[in-house]
Amino acid sequence: MRHFITLFDLTREELLHLLAMAERLKRQQGRGKRRRELAGKVVALIFEKPSLRTRVSFESAVAQLGGATIFLSGPEVGLGTREAIPDCARTLSQFCDAVILRTFAHSTVETFAEHASVPVINGLTDTHHPCQAISDLFTMQEQFGELRGRTVVFVGDGNNVARSLAVGCGMLGMRFVLAAPKGYGFEPDYSNLLRQRFPEGSFELNGSPTEAVRHADVIYTDVWTSMGQEAEKDTRCQAFRGFQVNRELLEHAPDHAVVMHCLPAHRGEEITSEVLDGQRSIAFQQAGNRLHAQKALLDWLLNQSHRSLRR
Ligand code: CP
Ligand code: NVA
């Protein structure tokens, strides 16, 4: 039984397997093929934070694979407040075949997984968003084919989305450049970990967005103020001034470079509407791909991970 808490939980071969599965599932859905991989299975979602894409893409993915979901809001469950996290994990494991968690503290998901006897999936924490990263790599693969040697420039906050994407890029031998203002990059320990784990990847921090995007294949951005950081909004907007993805920035990038955003976007802050809705943006294709990538993840975790590609 395996959990999916961060992208570090996968080997490179497993990640490539998931990307190939996502591609096949998307193609088959386009042809109207019906699937039953999760028939009779129940997946619970416990979300402490709001969500559109993660919740709906997972609920649709499970339904389209023949299973059922139960959605519980964070306050309703009270992980660590109404009930101890291990007690909740041990109980829920007897009712459900998998649990997807979206929490503030990353340790909540880790503790839950430690005590669960069914697969636990991280649907975003303060420090990681691995489902987003798998889906984003799938979208990049659709765009470019082979990803080895490609350059992703993340302009903005070294946040949960950036951290997870950097792992995926490293695993696939890509270059990951973080263009962040001072104080908003990765912690040195995290950068060291990435370099140590993925010697074939390349990780850079660059304080100048215009310089950073010069060799970009992908320009990626996300909100400057993530969920839970609302009190810092003014300070952050100040710090990130000059890090907006806009038409002027794109003029410094190669013509073929595409723009990605995990969404939701704060239009007019980290990205202009002109760019988000423009020809170089693949953000909505990217959003749609959450469905296919997560179907692959669910089928693999619930049906295949214990019998194939075992580490
Ligand atoms: N990208 C993403 O995870 O979106 P939601 O917060 O709407 O789930
Ligand atoms: N960094 C954002 C991602 C939302 C999908 C947040 O955590 O709010």
Side-chain angles (χ1 to χ4, degrees):
M1 201 265 304
R2 297 270 295 270
H3 300 302
F4 183 59
I5 309 298
T6 75
L7 224 56
F8 289 110
D9 292 334
L10 299 180
T11 63
R12 174 185 150 76
E13 288 65 37
E14 287 166 345
L15 174 58
L16 289 170
H17 177 67
L18 289 176
L19 296 179
M21 277 177 82
E23 196 270 326
R24 196 167 58 244
L25 287 162
K26 183 173 180 176
R27 201 165 7 95
Q28 289 177 348
Q29 174 159 315
R31 292 204 301 262
K33 184 171 159 116
R34 302 237 161 251
R35 310 196 67 100
R36 303 288 300 158
E37 282 83 349
L38 298 190
K41 302 214 192 269
V42 177
V43 176
L45 298 95
I46 306 176
F47 279 35
E48 292 179 348
K49 295 173 174 176
S51 170
L52 178 72
R53 279 143 292 268
T54 308
R55 175 181 176 178
V56 180
S57 56
F58 263 119
E59 292 213 43
S60 295
V62 174
Q64 290 177 10
L65 295 177
T69 54
I70 298 169
F71 182 85
L72 299 149
S73 71
E76 193 179 351
V77 180
L79 284 172
T81 51
R82 180 171 187 264
E83 192 166 4
I85 298 168
D87 296 355
C88 185
R90 289 172 64 186
T91 305
L92 215 49
S93 293
Q94 300 178 70
F95 304 143
C96 302
D97 299 280
V99 183
I100 304 167
L101 294 169
R102 170 169 285 202
T103 64
F104 289 93
H106 187 73
S107 60
T108 302
V109 177
E110 289 178 324
T111 307
F112 195 101
E114 234 169 81
H115 295 88
S117 52
V118 297
V120 172
I121 296 175
N122 178 355
L124 181 147
T125 62
D126 286 347
T127 52
H128 292 274
H129 197 1
C131 297
Q132 182 73 50
I134 294 188
S135 172
D136 292 344
L137 293 166
F138 170 49
T139 305
M140 291 179 204
Q141 195 173 271
E142 284 188 316
Q143 188 70 23
F144 297 112
E146 171 65 40
L147 293 180
R148 187 182 292 275
R150 293 280 179 185
T151 299
V152 175
V153 180
F154 192 103
V155 182
D157 190 18
N159 63 15
N160 44 10
V161 171
R163 278 195 205 92
S164 291
L165 188 58
V167 181
C169 288
M171 226 174 238
L172 299 185
M174 301 169 74
R175 284 182 69 219
F176 184 88
V177 183
L178 178 58
K182 211 167 178 315
Y184 293 93
F186 293 154
E187 303 77 10
D189 279 0
Y190 196 69
S191 296
N192 291 338
L193 176 67
L194 290 169
R195 291 196 179 103
Q196 187 195 324
R197 286 287 292 270
F198 308 114
E200 280 191 35
S202 144
F203 305 95
E204 288 166 36
L205 183 64
N206 191 327
S208 161
T210 49
E211 198 184 295
V213 299
R214 222 148 14 113
H215 301 292
D217 295 299
V218 175
I219 298 168
Y220 197 119
T221 192
D222 182 18
V223 293
W224 294 336
T225 306
S226 286
M227 293 179 278
Q229 299 173 332
E230 290 77 8
E232 299 170 32
K233 185 172 176 6
D234 291 346
T235 319
R236 286 177 163 269
C237 282
Q238 195 69 29
F240 285 97
R241 196 163 287 169
F243 286 77
Q244 185 185 65
V245 176
N246 54 30
R247 188 181 350 143
E248 292 73 45
L249 182 66
L250 294 194
E251 278 165 14
H252 295 266
D255 288 342
H256 73 270
V258 294
V259 174
M260 296 180 71
H261 192 309
C262 58
L263 304 177
H266 293 166
R267 289 168 179 261
E269 286 185 24
E270 77 279 0
I271 192 164
T272 58
S273 286
E274 181 187 28
V275 169
L276 186 61
D277 299 327
Q279 293 221 317
R280 297 172 76 169
S281 165
I282 56 169
F284 291 94
Q285 170 191 339
Q286 177 187 358
N289 279 339
R290 297 288 303 275
L291 177 72
H292 312 293
Q294 287 160 193
K295 271 187 193 167
L297 178 68
L298 286 163
D299 182 20
W300 181 71
L301 264 186
L302 274 68
N303 296 322
Q304 303 175 20
S305 64
H306 51 284
R307 63 169 185 260
S308 68
L309 299 163
R310 207 180 174 100
R311 276 182 296 182

